[in-house]
Amino acid sequence: MKALAIDTSNLVMGIAVVDGEKVIGEYTTNLKKNHSIRVMPAIHDLMKEMNMKPAELDRIITAKGPGSYTGVRIGVTIAKTMAWTLNKDLSGVSSLEVLAQNGKFFSGYVCPLFDARRTQLYTGLYGFEEDRFQAVKEDRLVLRSNWLDELKRLEKRILFLGNDLDLHKKSILEELGDQAVFGSAADHNPRPSELARIGIEKEPESVHHFVPSYLQLAEAEVNWLAGQKK
Amino acid sequence: MKQDEMILAIETSCDETAVALVKNGTEIMANVVASQIESHKRFGGVVPEVASRHHVEQITVVMEEALQMAGVTMDDVTAVAVTEGPGLVGALLIGVNAAKALAFAHGLPLVPVHHIAGHIYANRLITEMKFPLLALVVSGGHTELVLMKEHGSFEVIGETRDDAAGEAYDKVARTLNLPYPGGPHIDRLAQDGAPVLNLPRAWLEADSYDFSFSGLKSAVINTVHNAAQRGETIKPEDLAASFQESVIDVLVEKTARAAREYDVKQVLLAGGVAANKGLRAALEAKFSGLPQELAIPPLYLCTDNAAMIAAAGSIAYQKGKRADWALNGVPGLDLEAQ
Ligand SMILES: Nc1ncnc2c1ncn2[C@@H]1O[C@H](COP(=O)(O)OP(=O)(O)OP(=O)(O)O)[C@@H](O)[C@H]1O
Ligand SMILES: [Mg+2]
């Protein structure tokens, strides 16, 4: 199966082209630059390098968030459109699950995270269970302090991954001490080839119904709902 | 060989997810518009983040519906046109990225279109454009007089210095506690009222084609406020009729003056406020005695739609205008630089 994987959900932009088990092309940048301008040229260039036509793809895979609302919509829109118009399968993978793969051989738990402002995190917990590396605590938007409390009770070593760790490392160490382990630079960039690997195995999504996992409502919607309850 | 030119156009600049197919620049094969207005009503206006979310939900559904309705496949499509700007950036990005993916998937040319050029070119779907022409663009975000000497050339000879006409309608409507969007409600009320209140008209400098509606809007608010303090009530119908007359007087007068000065062959109305019955009637009355031909598109081509983007896109395509894969949404895109 030939697949194109696209991740524009956070600062790291990644594209991969795989042919079955084989990763034949992968492109990653970690830049504060506009994904909307850069991602389509990157897809074009990588596919050209692979000498592959869009119609040859069997599946389009996208990171579905959480992350930047605008960012995730760019990848999701491109993936939905390509899958729909070429009549190919579409699959979506949690952006946190993709990042967690960088710690899949760690013996404890793996905690991928993206900063969600106001000391909140987009995060989840992953580890080996039932012979499979998978989510052990589902993805969520959570206050950092609450999350660290929860992790502390697990009494197991936890590997933290993500480029936003600079903002949270101090608090994590204060709360978890030796229980916390940190990846190094290369571990913090989610790899599009991992996105592709997971995406290939997923059940295809319904293209028309597929939407990003924002993990929270739009702010106006939250306020409106609060107003309704009064 | 493709016999006909078939443009597939995408428009997502605000709260409408729209896709159209237009043959040979003027024949509408499909014009699908998924409006989000019901969703935004509860907020009293368009919420950008909510708009962007709806666009992602709708985009492939609307594209599919348009192709089905037109009875064509992507093999019949010559080029993909898309609104590049102006508009809400997050909303624009959905259309732009969908258009890029679509064009890339099928190896088709990608044509960027200015949203206001689209509003003006809605007219090309109903009548031949005769140059030089003058377009009065009145919409939720714009109020301008645009002079066109030929296809694809736009000179803004006047524009609003503050609120757009549609915006003024919506703000006045809010003062009267009418639901969003207020323009059509004011229009309806005005039909049953009389312009008995004395409201200002902003003519600005004698030779200016610019507009200003914020003073009028404030005058309306003050009038309502002062009446309330005196314990009087103003008939909303009369207020609406007075406000509407004030807006229309200025729009019609300046349009007629510019049409004369620039000696144009044709005057085109464009944008969502073109739905206004009073404005249509006043323009028709004014130009019935003047040499310039007046064109007013039907309502469904005045509000945001993609057929108008295809109409403008067809001309741009023929002029060789192309975007590359780096095309971005540009919220403040300049019309004159087109
Ligand atoms: N009958 C009417 N009378 C007056 N105003 C109207 C009428 N119908 C619609 N409007 C106004 O038209 C505006 C919407 O027009 P349109 O959809 O062209 O704007 P937009 O696309 O949001 O703005 P822009 O094209 O400038 O980005 C709203 O402000 C609405 O109140
Ligand atoms: Mg518009």
Side-chain angles (χ1 to χ4, degrees), chain A residues 99-117:
Chain A
L99 176 56
Q101 303 309 311
N102 293 356
K104 63 175 180 268
F105 299 116
F106 183 68
S107 57
Y109 289 127
V110 180
C111 173
L113 62 84
F114 305 121
D115 181 62
R117 282 183 279 211

Side-chain angles (χ1 to χ4, degrees), chain A residues 36 73 80 84-85 208 216, chain B residues 49 56 60 64 100 106:
Chain A
S36 173
R73 278 193 287 265
K80 279 181 79 161
W84 163 72
T85 195
H208 287 327
Q216 59 180 330
Chain B
E49 174 59 24
V56 183
T60 57
E64 182 164 300
K100 289 200 282 189
H106 299 284

Side-chain angles (χ1 to χ4, degrees), chain B residues 14 115 119 139-142 166-167 169-170 181 183-184 187 271-273 275-276 302 304:
Chain B
C14 191
H115 180 77
H119 274 305
S139 63
H142 293 80
E167 209 177 341
Y169 266 93
D170 294 339
D187 191 12
V273 182
N276 190 275
C302 289
D304 287 354

Side-chain angles (χ1 to χ4, degrees), chain B residues 11 13-16 86 115-116 119 137-142 271-272 302-305 308:
Chain B
E11 149 67 41
S13 69
C14 191
D15 61 340
E16 254 96 41
H115 180 77
I116 296 302
H119 274 305
V137 182
V138 272
S139 63
H142 293 80
C302 289
T303 49
D304 287 354
N305 65 86
M308 69 187 199

Side-chain angles (χ1 to χ4, degrees), chain A:
Chain A
M1 178 190 313
K2 292 192 173 102
L4 168 69
I6 308 165
D7 185 354
T8 58
S9 58
N10 288 280
L11 267 194
V12 174
M13 185 182 98
I15 322 267
V17 178
V18 298
D19 188 351
E21 304 255 282
K22 197 166 166 195
V23 179
I24 53 179
E26 186 166 16
Y27 176 82
T28 315
T29 59
N30 182 17
L31 293 169
K32 208 167 188 150
K33 277 193 181 170
N34 193 314
H35 291 339
S36 173
I37 295 176
R38 295 167 58 241
V39 72
M40 208 64 222
I43 293 171
H44 171 265
D45 293 353
L46 191 61
M47 299 271 300
K48 195 171 163 199
E49 192 87 350
M50 305 292 106
N51 209 354
M52 202 187 278
K53 297 249 164 356
E56 290 172 49
L57 295 164
D58 301 296
R59 180 175 285 221
I60 319 290
I61 300 159
T62 183
K64 65 177 179 182
S68 143
Y69 294 166
T70 299
V72 70
R73 278 193 287 265
I74 291 168
V76 167
T77 300
I78 292 172
K80 279 181 79 161
T81 304
M82 285 184 70
W84 163 72
T85 195
L86 296 167
N87 200 14
K88 308 294 182 179
D89 286 344
L90 171 73
S91 55
V93 178
S94 151
S95 303
L96 289 163
E97 185 176 358
V98 178
L99 176 56
Q101 303 309 311
N102 293 356
K104 63 175 180 268
F105 299 116
F106 183 68
S107 57
Y109 289 127
V110 180
C111 173
L113 62 84
F114 305 121
D115 181 62
R117 282 183 279 211
R118 289 175 288 204
T119 73
Q120 298 177 101
L121 304 171
Y122 290 122
T123 189
L125 200 67
Y126 291 78
F128 254 98
E129 270 186 10
E130 292 156 5
D131 280 343
R132 223 163 63 84
F133 186 73
Q134 57 180 303
V136 293
K137 281 182 187 287
E138 67 179 20
D139 293 353
R140 66 197 65 194
L141 171 74
V142 62
L143 263 179
R144 182 179 64 207
S145 52
N146 293 351
W147 180 239
L148 293 178
D149 277 350
E150 198 170 334
L151 295 185
K152 196 168 186 174
R153 276 182 265 129
L154 293 174
E155 295 177 348
K156 208 167 173 184
R157 299 235 292 168
I158 297 168
L159 172 66
F160 287 88
L161 297 174
N163 284 310
D164 297 335
L165 269 171
D166 287 348
L167 298 167
H168 304 287
K169 204 166 179 173
K170 195 163 152 273
S171 308
I172 294 170
L173 280 170
E174 272 169 22
E175 198 60 36
L176 300 181
D178 286 351
Q179 203 189 336
V181 181
F182 298 95
S184 54
D187 306 322
H188 295 315
N189 284 0
R191 297 188 61 174
S193 50
E194 291 288 0
L195 167 63
R197 186 181 58 77
I198 306 168
I200 273 184
E201 283 159 17
K202 291 231 156 155
E203 274 295 302
E205 307 270 352
S206 150
V207 176
H208 287 327
H209 295 106
F210 184 68
V211 289
S213 306
Y214 300 105
L215 296 189
Q216 59 180 330
L217 293 171
E219 200 175 327
E221 199 121 12
V222 175
N223 296 339
W224 180 78
L225 285 170
Q228 295 302 101
K229 283 187 194 122
K230 276 186 197 142

Side-chain angles (χ1 to χ4, degrees), chain B residues 5 9 48 60-61 65 72-73 81 97 122 179 184 194 203 236 247 266 306:
Chain B
E5 177 203 273
T60 57
V61 179
E65 206 177 313
V72 300
T73 68
N97 282 286
W203 297 109
V247 173
Q266 207 178 27

